[in-house]
Amino acid sequence: MTQLAYFNLPDVGEGLTEAEIVSWKVAVGDQVSVNQIIVEIETAKSLVELPCPFAGVVAELLAAEGQTVEVGKPIIACRVVDGATGAVQTTSIPVIDPAVAAAASSAHEAVAEAAAAAAERSSTEQASKPFPAKNPTLVGYGVNDAAGASRRRHVPAAALSASTAAAAALPVVANPATGLLNTAALVAEESVIAKPPVRKLARDLGVDLTKVTATGTAGEVTREDVLGHSSQASVFRNLSTPAAPSEREERIPVKGVRKATAAAMVQSAFTAPHVSIFVDVDATRTMEYVKRLKSSTDFAGVKVTPLLIMAKAMMWAVRRNPTVNSTWTDEEIIVHNYVNFGIAAATPRGLIVPNIKDADKMSMFELAKAIEQLALTAREGKTQIPEMSNGTITLTNIGVFGVDTGTPILNPGEVGIVALGSIRPKPWVVNNEIVVRQITTIGATFDHRVVDGDVASRFVQDVASVIEEPALLLD
Amino acid sequence: MVQLLSPEGEYSVAPQYAEYAKLVQELSEADFLKFYRDMARIRRFDFEANALQRQGQLGLWIPAIGQEAAQIGSGYAVGHNDHIFPSYREHGVAITHGIDLMSILKMLRGVNHGGWNPDETRFHLYAIVLGTQTLHAAGYAMGVKFDGKTGTGNLADDQAVITYVGDGATAEGEVSEAMLFAANHQAPLVFFVQNNQWAISSPTHSQTRVPLFQRGAGFGVPGIRVDGNDVLACYAVTKKHMDEARGGNGPFLIEALTYRIGAHTSSDDPTKYRSSEEVEYWKARDPLTRLEKFLRRQGIGQDFFDEVAQAGEQLSEEIRSATFALQNPPAQNMFKYVYSEQHPLIEEQLAWLEAYESSFGDQSHLTVADPSQIPNIGSVH
Amino acid sequence: MANFVEMTIAKAINAGLRKAMTENDKILLFGEDIAELGGVFRVTEGLHKEFGQNRVFNTPIAEAGIVGTAVGLAMRGYRSVVEIQFDGFIFPAFNQITTQLAKMQNRSEGATTMPVVIRVPYGGGIGAVEHHSESPEAYFAHTAGLRVISPSNPNDAYWMIQQAIASSDPVMFFEPKRRYWQKGPVNLDEPPAGMHTARVLREGNDVTIATYGPMVTTAMQAAEIAAEEGHSLEVIDLRSMSPIDFTTIVNSVKKTGRLVVAAEASNFVSVSSEVAARVHELAFYHLEAPVLRVGGFDVPYPAAKLEEIFLPDADRILEAVDRALAY
């Protein structure tokens, strides 16, 4: 069994890249033996004779005399025989000039060096795979034909940055024997994480970073977080105390949104009998769920907050307690089999309640996007009248004001409204032990003409159980 | 210059070298045959390694052709407790101390920096920075002295140290400092200067005004010159002075005058700086031919030489296949031996490399090589 | 009740050497003039007399020889503690330190270890002539295979020299020569920490000062002044320049948000630069200001009359503190 073996031009002088074929010492059809000098080349450094790495018959000379060849390119092909490694032909100790000796003891036996040659080729390939040479000049080190093609990473950048963040967490090297254990206590990871430019922005806008909700993938406060917070900052909290006014009175005309809001409130409060109930719930799992969603690539680019889970919880609870999602007329109670989900939005111009039509038909992602869009539109003062009509149930987020709970007033035409309060770490009892959990109060107000205490309680309990265990939403 | 075997292979003893001849007389025929076998073996190995380099299997080869007598002769004169600090061309000395020839090739292929155990073999790692080994040898010899292992009168237990250095390297300041320290402490250290007459392209006569065997005089290190192509003289001179150093005489310098038949390394082209006449002159003084003629005169027949030649072919096949089978070392080796105790930067960077490479899935550069079954070729003990 | 004795840094190193040599008779001390004279700073005073010529001896003036023979002695099973007489004279030994001492273990794949300590008085501020006031630690911190440490006070000096001797790796032990005569309590019973652990010497909230060697005293002075001005500085003594204890530094930066690294060495491509680069990487989100470096100018160490202007003092540190606070 014969096969073709190739000899690639080696780097004979530590970093040479090419050589010129000066003269061939063999021709096609000649028998060659291992280490027989077959060609003389000229490199940048000197004239060098190359010995043949295998034994066989010359099949083809792949470079011509006078031609310059790159290191790593094949210069000769020989037909070699498979089989056991054969002996080399010299029968005397090589005297001082090995080249002379080899030529003198010319090979006339067709000794098979195929195994050696094949092994050489496969080891060249083998060597080339683990270490594709950046420097393609050392043939023995493997000229990788794929050299130059970069390797594509299989890990998305997000995961690597997460690991960088993990590295930033600096695991303490715990080997006291070598004295590398840090004896200083680790500072608790409460401090705000933000890039220097964001810190500067916050400072310039007068925003307290510790009060901003962080939405960055590493848990950092982003530029958008600061901007969003600052544009609403004055909505949620008084930032400064103004000087005492000079006049004794100020008279503000009642008109526009203020007039409409007042009318709605009066109609609601003094028509429907309001009853409010409250329940405290451990929202830790919801907070964890929100965090996971935030770092999921599926939710990249959309804001994910506890409000989203709350909305989903309410719609799930509505399925189980349909009458809270209805309208009272003196003749009939209209139970809506769809949810136009209203979210109370505090804007610089006043309180409005735009709603998301058919929110119960939306996927989590669609709902998140709709909520985000609703908030943005409201902030910009661009909410249209149809968006504020025909709501079926409302959620008001008073947690952003830092308020624990409250007694919301029903949106006219609706019989239920839920208030989401602040979510704070508080002591809680788990397995008979006091632990710190993220606790929130869910407050809800109902129209007692439609919703009795038991329905109200069951509805609120259902919402609370989802907040406690968001996996119930998989139902 | 001490010589016992002429270039024509005639053994004769000048009266002033009688002391050395005595040591040769203690040798048996088996010893002479062993000298020849090993010189032939190391020459065959050298030839094969050079071919392998020309075939792209090694990045570099450092030929010792022409210096076999100096290396085998001195190598066999080293005592069973003595330590050897070579430079980087002492492949002949290496095989007298059981160094696996593949270890040398692994180094030149780039698998490691010299993978044999210096303590077990008493043959320390090759020194690429010229002359540094002489200071290590001096320190080691000082340690021998501090341990009281020299000059006790017990030649079997006492120890000496030999360090090999080339003619060019003697110019390095550290070599002078080594002679100074060794002499100041009267440490049992023999400096074996292999004067192969070329420091890459600089001939010895351009590098020193004074013959190298006199170099030590200024430091208190006496010296002698020996014919480096006469294996018997090299053996005798080395043995005598190692025994004397062992016996408490302090340091000594041996200059072995030989010739570097080949190039400095495979990257070198001697045709650019020396004449072919000069090379021919020295080829006529081949240390192997000389010994062969001597042996034939003693009645050793062609059978022996055929057997040696055959062994050489066998060796070359083994070397070739073992070389092709050499695996790359695992990349983790880069980090393994930098420190002997834990180091945070090493741990961190190794972990980083592993994570980085695994992010390329099956294109990872981290393969765990199997460096195990390389045949143990070339050891003589 | 802990056993405390007041000592100078020089005496503390002397005591540490004595204790180590008493416990292990393979420890040798050698270098120029370290025997009868006890070293030009008297750090090895009395040791020649106590341990004898075989263990404490002078060498010729041959720094390469000092380190090279220490390498050979290590191969023979000895643990050498050698002295390079002055920082500026380490360069003839640079070859043996970087190509041999640092790499021998790696070259031999673990077969040979190099338990060698090289003691070097370093730093300026003593009005000396040329080459006697250098801070060359960066060259060695940059060399893989070496460990580089520097005590700033007598207690650290006493313990760290012993820990360096106990290490199986080569250790460069840089002794702040201007502080040799500074006194302090030495706890003879218990080391304060491992030799590569940084220590918070003074707690503070506004800015962290990371420093080592002779600059530690200067940094503490700066912190006192800053306190009077209403700023609280946290001062960390790095103690080790290779490896560097980033855990301690980063924990501090998480608290203060600002870091100034101070050393006598010139800033360009210094140990301080490494600290700055690394802290930016590890604590980016916690930085209120970029990491600032205070060091000597990037010129050869000047003649003694200009030394006070060249060397960073408390004011230079405070200038950097002010800049950090202005962000």
Side-chain angles (χ1 to χ4, degrees), chain A residues 179-266:
Chain A
L180 289 176
L181 176 68
N182 173 36
T183 53
L186 280 173
V187 173
E189 278 275 12
E190 280 175 8
S191 36
V192 174
I193 294 181
K195 294 184 196 179
V198 172
R199 289 176 185 270
K200 181 174 195 320
L201 177 69
R203 200 168 24 247
D204 290 345
L205 292 180
V207 171
D208 179 351
L209 279 175
T210 62
K211 301 281 192 295
V212 179
T213 306
T215 65
T217 50
E220 82 270 21
V221 174
T222 67
R223 191 182 177 79
E224 289 65 36
D225 295 334
V226 170
L227 282 174
H229 195 98
S230 85
S231 71
Q232 294 179 318
S234 54
V235 170
F236 296 107
R237 176 164 271 121
N238 292 316
L239 294 179
S240 57
T241 307
S246 43
E247 299 101 10
R248 267 178 103 67
E249 290 174 349
E250 187 190 350
R251 289 168 175 255
I252 305 167
V254 176
K255 57 183 181 182
V257 176
R258 175 55 44 204
K259 191 166 186 177
T261 306
M265 290 291 162
V266 163

Side-chain angles (χ1 to χ4, degrees), chain B residues 287-306:
Chain B
L288 262 100
T289 330
R290 190 187 297 208
L291 187 62
E292 180 187 336
K293 288 179 179 160
F294 170 76
L295 290 175
R296 285 192 193 276
R297 271 204 197 87
Q298 304 290 29
I300 303 298
Q302 183 59 31
D303 284 349
F304 169 73
F305 297 101
D306 287 343

Side-chain angles (χ1 to χ4, degrees), chain C residues 11 46 70 75 106 112 121 130 144 164 166 171 176 182 209 214 218 232 260 290 299 316:
Chain C
K11 283 277 179 247
M75 292 168 173
N106 190 52
T112 306
E130 211 189 354
V171 181
Q182 207 169 68
I209 314 288
T218 314
S232 101
V260 169
V299 299
R316 289 249 287 276

